[in-house]
Amino acid sequence: MRDELFLLDSLGFATEVELVAKDLRTLLNAYSHAVAVERPSLQEVASWQRVTPGNLRRRYTSVHVNATRSLLAERISFDLVQAAFASVKDEMLDGLNDQASADYRLRSDVRQSYFGLIDRTANVLHGEGWRERTLVESRFDPNPLRGYIQVSASAYNVVTPLSSISESAIDRALSELGPEHAEYVAFERAAAAQAS
């Protein structure tokens, strides 16, 4: 069992590293080809990746370009960045600038309120202590809530954009928070709507 857990944990880690590397390459391609003011030669960028310039254009989309532009803006849309780059967690954007730090705190409050809502619902469905009865042994487990129907593992992560979560669930979570939280969520929803 210990060898099997090591193997599974190693596979999870390797998958996570691959996702981060792919996101980084996509970010750099979008920046160098569509965002940078002084852009490097497309031929050079392609040759360093051992692809043709035609294939390079397929390594990113307008979603990646919008997210890259957002990273350079005064106010970063965490949702745009997370929609484009699946490996990005909320805390990775904290501290990039003063506004990002303030937004990170608001976002964390919204997530905690939302997680509380899910916990209360799951307690009704599965009884108190349901979370402690899960089989989680690794942070790389793709389904840490295995065995609990109607409780999605994706509901408990910090990489899902808020605008991708049920609007009514986020609104319910916002009802427990202040108006600055509602303004922040409105900013993220507007950014996501404008990008699509």
Side-chain angles (χ1 to χ4, degrees):
M1 177 65 174
R2 193 165 195 48
D3 289 341
E4 182 179 331
L5 183 57
F6 174 76
L7 172 69
L8 296 174
D9 209 32
S10 297
L11 286 169
F13 179 73
T15 301
E16 192 169 289
V17 168
E18 177 185 33
L19 183 60
V20 170
K22 183 179 178 208
D23 280 351
L24 179 59
R25 183 181 67 200
T26 302
L27 170 75
L28 294 171
N29 281 322
Y31 176 78
S32 66
H33 190 222
V35 177
V37 176
E38 293 184 30
R39 297 181 183 154
S41 151
L42 186 61
Q43 185 66 41
E44 280 295 308
V45 173
S47 71
W48 276 89
Q49 297 177 65
R50 297 172 181 86
V51 297
T52 66
N55 283 335
L56 182 64
R57 290 185 180 98
R58 292 186 196 100
R59 290 201 163 178
Y60 67 92
T61 67
S62 62
V63 172
H64 300 111
V65 172
N66 289 334
T68 303
R69 286 187 176 128
S70 179
L71 283 167
L72 299 171
E74 284 186 37
R75 189 168 196 188
I76 299 167
S77 169
F78 285 48
D79 277 16
L80 284 183
V81 174
Q82 289 178 332
F85 306 110
S87 66
V88 175
K89 296 174 178 66
D90 290 348
E91 61 269 9
M92 292 175 172
L93 302 176
D94 182 22
L96 290 181
N97 60 36
D98 290 342
Q99 184 65 55
S101 295
D103 286 348
Y104 172 74
R105 287 188 294 279
L106 294 171
R107 188 176 187 84
S108 295
D109 292 346
V110 172
R111 284 208 193 272
Q112 288 309 310
S113 180
Y114 170 68
F115 294 159
L117 176 70
I118 292 192
D119 279 340
R120 290 189 297 277
T121 303
N123 283 342
V124 170
L125 292 172
H126 304 294
E128 293 289 329
W130 67 273
R131 190 187 284 260
E132 290 75 29
R133 293 189 304 267
T134 62
L135 302 175
V136 178
E137 293 192 46
S138 168
R139 71 182 185 95
F140 301 111
D141 191 332
N143 185 9
L145 303 175
R146 127 184 19 255
Y148 289 89
I149 57 168
Q150 300 174 350
V151 180
S152 168
S154 65
Y156 278 96
N157 70 51
V158 290
V159 296
T160 301
L162 293 178
S163 55
S164 296
I165 298 172
S166 159
E167 194 170 317
S168 63
I170 293 295
D171 288 344
R172 206 168 305 128
L174 285 172
S175 70
E176 301 173 356
L177 301 168
E180 66 278 9
H181 295 87
E183 181 217 325
Y184 170 71
V185 169
F187 161 76
E188 289 292 3
R189 286 176 177 166
Q194 184 178 21
S196 54

